[in-house]
Amino acid sequence: MKYGVNEHGYYGDFGGAYIPEMLYPNVEELRQQYLTIINDPDFKAEFDDLLKNYVGRPSPLYHAKRYSEKYGANIFFKREDLNHTGSHKINNAIGQILLAKRLGKKRIIAETGAGQHGVATATVCALMGIECVVYMGEIDMARQAPNVSRMKMLGATVRPASSGSKTLKDATNEALRDWIANPVDTHYIIGSVVGPYPYPDMVARFQSIISEETKKQLVEHTGKELPEYVLACVGGGSNAMGMFYHFLDDEQVKLVAVEAAGKGVDSGHSAATTFLGHEGVLHGSRTILMQTPDGQVVEPYSISAGLDYPGIGPQHAHLYKINRALYVSVTDDEAMRAGLLCSQMEGIIPAIESSHALAQLEKMKFNPTDNVVICLSGRGDKDLDTFIKYFGY
Ligand SMILES: *Cc1c(COP(=O)(O)O)cnc(C)c1O
């Protein structure tokens, strides 16, 4: 694959595995085994079966007729919001739990910010009867209390991270400490296309089911495999990578990645990584991240918890740098309006993350024959309080 990872774990200038020596055995074990395991026919059969009968795949490709009229093109929603647990995150969680089983791991750890990845991880651990510990910042636990309850209901232990800013990055530090202390029996399920190699490639492969299905479904809808445009929101970048994956080599397909501008890219309250960021190392890989001139990570902000991340996965950094995909950003206000519009024009309440991708439609010019696919990464149930408060209902 032209845009895929090379044998050293890099996408152009980005990627690699910048990890403390004490983590080396864990990451090296994964690196040596992940491709053999996930290419094994037994693995594939079990993965496909669970995606079909547990997650509910294939997720529909829905032709949004009122949107198509409004925007003057054929607009399709890839309905990841209909997956079990409400977003694309379950695709990766299923893949990694099956991998962990084959590596003989008896215990799973994860970090979570908003709690969506924590819930997906707790879900697959319940499914497999494997112990699950989720690290979560103390502040996030208070902000996202319903997801803490969900994880507990599913049998997971939620451990508060009470150092630093008590948010995602502190939870990540705690999870890494745990992994260093338990290298033999524990697998660390990372929730996006971030982290040291091989995680970005592994997670992208598990999420690539999104574009694999989309190609087939487009043939049914339009008679053609390729759309003119593909859009997705980017936090760490896993739903976008899954949505782009099988279109990367089809250079005529325009790929659009939508980041969260928060209160505006120049407001000091933003998560627009490609606009504000510089090259550096974050969570084990060389990528683009928001940082101060002396290299401290800048606290990101977005109204959507899932896009509130100071970096992007290394493959995105590469696609950005070589201009294979267009990186844009959408403010809180634009996203919230788009979420309301989708609810009232299509009867679908999208996650605020996905609403960022929808908002980008307002800024584009289409030809009437264009086919446009948007990844609806998740459903908005988790965001109802935020929507209601925002619109003052
Ligand atoms: C977590 C999340 C995202 C952002 O994560 P990516 O890795 O960038 O996909 C987007 N949408 C939803 C619904 C999420 O839960």
Side-chain angles (χ1 to χ4, degrees):
M1 254 192 128
K2 185 172 166 197
Y3 298 102
V5 76
N6 70 20
E7 68 274 26
H8 306 295
Y10 278 83
Y11 309 87
D13 297 337
F14 302 105
Y18 295 78
I19 49 171
E21 203 179 316
M22 286 159 84
L23 265 186
Y24 181 79
N26 313 39
V27 175
E28 182 58 14
E29 179 187 31
L30 263 188
R31 188 189 68 78
Q32 285 182 12
Q33 305 225 36
Y34 85 108
L35 284 179
T36 313
I37 291 175
I38 69 183
N39 288 326
D40 180 72
D42 280 348
F43 179 96
K44 281 192 168 155
E46 199 177 351
F47 185 54
D48 290 348
D49 176 67
L50 284 172
L51 287 185
K52 178 166 180 241
N53 297 308
Y54 188 70
V55 175
R57 303 202 72 93
S59 67
L61 184 71
Y62 164 67
H63 182 208
K65 296 196 187 57
R66 296 188 67 201
Y67 258 50
S68 299
E69 250 168 59
K70 178 175 166 61
Y71 292 110
N74 292 311
I75 312 278
F76 295 92
F77 296 167
K78 182 60 174 161
R79 300 288 310 273
E80 295 300 299
D81 60 313
L82 294 177
N83 293 343
H84 180 46
T85 71
S87 82
H88 66 290
K89 290 213 170 66
I90 192 78
N91 304 326
N92 169 52
I94 298 254
Q96 287 203 48
I97 196 83
L98 293 179
L99 180 95
K101 261 185 28 181
R102 281 162 175 79
L103 288 170
K105 306 292 177 181
K106 305 274 181 284
R107 182 172 173 270
I108 295 296
I109 56 172
E111 87 296 333
T112 197
Q116 295 301 108
H117 172 57
V119 168
T121 302
T123 299
V124 297
C125 287
L127 177 68
M128 295 296 166
I130 294 183
E131 184 191 346
C132 179
V133 177
V134 179
Y135 290 92
M136 190 169 186
E138 233 167 36
I139 290 184
D140 290 336
M141 284 180 73
R143 283 196 292 205
Q144 312 287 337
N147 275 341
V148 175
S149 304
R150 272 184 203 112
M151 288 184 266
K152 288 184 177 164
M153 183 81 187
L154 291 161
T157 305
V158 183
R159 292 216 182 126
S162 45
S163 63
S165 58
K166 305 182 175 40
T167 58
L168 179 61
K169 74 172 168 38
D170 313 289
T172 305
N173 290 339
E174 294 294 326
L176 286 172
R177 241 172 248 143
D178 181 314
W179 206 23
I180 288 170
N182 301 285
V184 177
D185 70 336
T186 298
H187 175 67
Y188 180 12
I189 299 191
I190 292 184
S192 190
V193 285
V194 301
Y197 177 70
Y199 279 101
D201 185 51
M202 182 168 75
V203 177
R205 284 169 189 261
F206 292 145
Q207 293 293 1
S208 72
I209 185 72
I210 299 173
S211 46
E212 187 183 321
E213 288 173 3
T214 299
K215 272 194 162 176
K216 289 183 201 144
Q217 291 166 323
L218 275 171
V219 173
E220 288 164 27
H221 280 286
T222 70
K224 291 187 295 186
E225 226 181 36
L226 303 181
E228 272 65 31
Y229 294 91
V230 170
L231 282 76
C233 66
V234 175
S238 67
N239 87 89
M241 220 48 250
M243 187 73 251
F244 292 174
Y245 198 91
H246 291 285
F247 296 113
L248 284 172
D249 290 339
D250 301 311
E251 308 275 349
Q252 69 269 44
V253 179
K254 297 181 198 74
L255 309 174
V256 183
V258 185
E259 297 184 311
K263 295 182 175 157
V265 286
D266 297 321
S267 66
H269 303 277
S270 174
T273 304
T274 53
F275 189 82
L276 296 168
H278 301 281
E279 296 182 19
V281 172
L282 179 68
H283 296 150
S285 66
R286 186 166 181 79
T287 187
I288 296 173
L289 65 138
M290 292 163 41
Q291 54 188 322
T292 60
D294 52 356
Q296 291 299 307
V297 175
V298 171
E299 229 17 81
Y301 164 82
S302 164
I303 194 168
S304 89
L307 303 185
D308 190 354
Y309 183 70
I312 45 173
Q315 193 167 12
H316 282 292
H318 180 55
L319 297 176
Y320 167 72
K321 193 165 180 180
I322 62 170
N323 284 315
R324 172 63 190 97
L326 178 68
Y327 288 75
V328 296
S329 64
V330 151
T331 64
D332 287 357
D333 291 337
E334 290 166 336
M336 296 306 271
R337 279 201 300 274
L340 187 66
L341 187 77
C342 182
S343 303
Q344 302 193 346
M345 275 188 71
E346 293 291 348
I348 296 169
I349 302 175
I352 301 177
E353 291 84 359
S354 322
S355 302
H356 282 73
L358 291 166
Q360 179 58 21
L361 288 172
E362 296 279 342
K363 306 178 179 183
M364 297 174 69
K365 276 248 169 302
F366 299 114
N367 292 318
T369 53
D370 284 349
N371 296 316
V372 180
V373 180
I374 299 166
C375 187
L376 222 69
S377 54
R379 67 178 86 125
D381 305 36
K382 69 183 177 62
D383 297 320
L384 281 181
D385 271 358
T386 313
F387 275 122
I388 296 294
K389 273 195 201 114
Y390 182 88
F391 290 109
Y393 287 142

